[in-house]
């Protein structure tokens, strides 16, 4: 709508059409691509996007089904993807975190993988976190190269011409503050609840510095482990990196967990996955799929109250957040354990082996 009115993409002003909004925080190309939808009636635009997302779900389920050997696992993971509370919320909100995650996964299964991978990153750049896993294989270097080229071509000119807009994009996505309310389902929200219970403070310069270090450290450490792992498991490396993102990001909303469910489902493709490993993954996916008790605890359901949890007893806030945070951590831990089962290799060996062109393994 900002583009329709001749404004800058990140203008945070009423447009006379949108009843309520949050500041636009995606890449400029997203606004350009989806601008035609603003010409449709809102209900029609929403229905069109829902059908696109549903199509992606169907393709993902079919692709995953064909790659899983165990029929019981197939049925269980399919049911958890089809009856998934965060996914229903994703559809209701017209969001696209799920779409970005699915495109990233399909990029490693289907033809034109480099194009699909680039599309996922242009839609939501968090999937670029998977680059270290893809760079382990020379046959996936084009995926990363094309994504970076398209990212620079579509974003750099706009941010160079409007540096203030670039600063806004960076601050909004990479220097996050606030957002640790009842709608947040991330690890940092749970840490805030613990600190609140102990009389601590989850805000201010110290909090921002510590959470920033935590994010850089865990993401960087995970990337190093993925790169140096002796065991080559593409899906496990991709999942570990994406789960590291969701474990450290400060703004994790409930609908984001629809993407986490997709990522967790790919862990079932890990080579030589034990029965215990599969049960852990499926149990985590089940917890992610369940609805939260938020609607029960928010008895007043007053839209004028931004954060109803301020009046809740602490145990209710824990009961809303913890069943979503712990499955993410469980999946991340499982991915790392599977990845590191064969130990680590030297950086020189990692660089040398990534330059080879190995045959795609059937297990991948």
């Amino acid at each position: 709508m900002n583009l329709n009115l001749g404004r800058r993409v990140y203008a945070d002003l009423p447009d006379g059409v949108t009843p309520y909004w949050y500041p636009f925080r995606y890449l400029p190309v997203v606004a350009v691509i989806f601008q035609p939808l603003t010409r449709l009636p809102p209900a029609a635009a929403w229905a069109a996007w829902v059908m696109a997302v549903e199509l992606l779900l169907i393709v993902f389920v079919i692709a995953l089904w064909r790659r899983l050997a165990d029929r019981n696992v197939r049925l269980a993971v399919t049911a958890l993807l089809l009856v998934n509370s965060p996914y229903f919320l994703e559809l209701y909100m017209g969001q696209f975190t799920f779409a970005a995650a699915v495109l990233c996964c399909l990029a490693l299964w289907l033809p034109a993988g480099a194009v699909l991978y680039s599309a996922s990153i242009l839609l939501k750049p968090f999937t670029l976190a998977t680059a270290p896993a893809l760079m382990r294989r020379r046959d996936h270097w084009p995926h990363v190269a094309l994504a970076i080229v398209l990212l620079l071509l579509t974003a750099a000119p706009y941010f160079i011409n409007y540096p203030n807009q670039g600063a806004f994009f960076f601050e909004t996505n990479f220097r996050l503050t606030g957002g640790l309310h009842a709608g947040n389902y991330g690890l940092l929200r749970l840490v805030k609840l613990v600190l609140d219970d102990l009389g601590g403070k989850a805000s201010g310069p110290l909090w921002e510095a510590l959470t920033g270090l935590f994010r850089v450290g865990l993401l960087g450490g995970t990337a190093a482990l993925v790169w140096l792992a002796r065991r080559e498991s593409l899906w496990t490396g991709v999942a570990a990196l994406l789960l590291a993102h969701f474990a450290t990001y400060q703004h994790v909303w409930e609908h984001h967990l629809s993407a986490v469910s997709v990522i967790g489902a790919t862990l079932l493709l890990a080579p030589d996955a034990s029965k215990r490993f599969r049960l852990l993954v499926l149990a985590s996916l089940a917890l992610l799929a369940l609805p939260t008790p938020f609607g029960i605890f928010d008895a007043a359901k007053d839209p004028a109250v931004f954060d109803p949890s301020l009046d809740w007893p602490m145990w209710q806030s824990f009961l809303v957040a913890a069943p979503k945070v712990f499955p993410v951590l469980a999946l991340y831990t499982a991915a790392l354990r599977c990845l590191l089962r064969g130990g680590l290799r030297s950086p020189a060996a990692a660089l040398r082996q990534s330059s080879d062109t190995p045959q795609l393994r059937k297990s991948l």
Side-chain angles (χ1 to χ4, degrees):
M1 291 306 302
N2 282 337
L3 290 180
N4 288 346
L5 297 173
R7 297 173 176 171
R8 303 287 182 260
V9 172
Y10 301 103
D12 187 20
L13 298 167
D15 56 28
V17 177
T18 311
Y20 68 94
W21 72 94
Y22 287 91
F24 186 78
R25 62 190 298 174
Y26 313 108
L27 290 167
V29 68
V30 173
V32 175
I33 291 173
F34 289 106
Q35 189 183 13
L37 288 178
T38 66
R39 309 296 182 183
L40 298 175
W46 178 76
W49 179 243
V50 166
M51 286 189 288
V53 176
E54 288 276 64
L55 179 61
L56 283 174
L57 172 63
I58 292 170
V59 174
F60 178 77
V61 167
I62 293 173
L64 185 65
W65 180 282
R66 290 178 174 177
R67 285 161 176 79
L68 291 170
D70 190 308
R71 179 176 174 80
N72 291 330
V73 173
R74 286 176 174 177
L75 292 172
V77 71
T78 300
L80 291 171
L81 289 170
L82 295 179
V83 187
N84 187 288
S85 181
Y87 175 74
F88 297 148
L89 183 60
E90 181 92 345
L91 293 182
Y92 175 75
M93 296 177 67
Q95 269 288 350
F96 41 83
T97 312
F98 174 87
V102 169
L103 286 171
C104 181
C105 294
L106 293 179
L108 308 179
W109 290 337
L110 303 181
V115 174
L116 294 173
Y117 184 69
S118 296
S120 75
I121 289 169
L122 294 180
L123 199 57
K124 276 204 165 183
F126 75 89
T127 55
L128 189 58
T130 61
L134 271 63
M135 290 299 290
R136 284 190 51 136
R137 300 182 57 93
R138 189 173 180 180
D139 47 351
H140 285 101
W141 287 6
H143 290 58
V144 179
L146 179 63
I148 292 175
V149 168
L150 290 178
L151 189 61
L152 291 174
L153 288 177
T154 57
Y158 183 82
F159 290 143
I160 290 172
N161 285 331
Y162 307 109
N164 289 339
Q165 297 273 283
F168 176 86
F169 177 84
F170 179 81
E171 293 287 332
T172 306
N173 290 287
F174 298 102
R175 295 189 62 181
L176 299 174
T177 58
L180 297 175
H181 46 68
N184 192 311
Y185 290 83
L187 173 61
L188 296 183
R189 160 68 175 171
L190 195 60
V191 172
K192 179 187 183 302
L193 291 174
V194 173
L195 289 176
D196 288 346
D197 205 28
L198 297 175
K201 185 180 180 183
S203 61
L206 179 59
W207 168 263
E208 292 175 14
L210 291 176
T211 54
L213 287 173
F214 169 64
R215 178 163 174 76
V216 171
L218 192 68
L219 277 171
T222 304
L225 291 175
V226 168
W227 179 255
L228 296 176
R230 202 178 288 275
R231 184 187 181 101
E232 184 182 13
S233 176
L234 181 62
W235 300 116
T236 309
V238 165
L241 288 162
L242 290 175
L243 290 167
H245 162 73
F246 284 106
T248 58
Y249 206 58
Q250 183 154 319
H251 292 175
V252 179
W253 317 129
E254 186 178 358
H255 70 91
H256 288 167
L257 301 175
S258 63
V260 175
S261 298
V262 166
I263 298 160
T266 65
L267 279 177
L268 295 168
L269 297 172
D272 305 323
S274 65
K275 182 177 180 180
R276 182 178 177 182
F277 178 87
R278 292 196 297 268
L279 287 175
L280 173 64
V281 171
L282 290 173
S284 300
L285 293 177
L287 285 173
L288 291 172
L290 289 172
T292 75
F294 188 104
I296 298 173
F297 296 155
D298 182 18
K301 295 179 174 58
D302 182 359
V305 178
F306 182 74
D307 187 359
S309 71
L310 296 177
D311 296 324
W312 297 350
M314 188 61 72
W315 69 267
Q316 289 187 345
S317 292
F318 276 111
L319 194 56
V320 169
K324 302 302 182 184
V325 175
F326 288 141
V328 176
L329 297 180
L331 291 171
Y332 172 70
T333 304
L336 281 189
R337 288 190 63 183
C338 181
L339 191 69
L340 300 178
R341 195 177 300 165
L344 299 175
R345 54 186 178 169
S346 69
L351 186 61
R352 183 173 60 253
Q353 292 170 19
S354 70
S355 299
D356 296 335
T357 311
Q359 292 283 332
L360 283 174
R361 295 181 180 179
K362 189 176 181 180
S363 62
L364 298 180

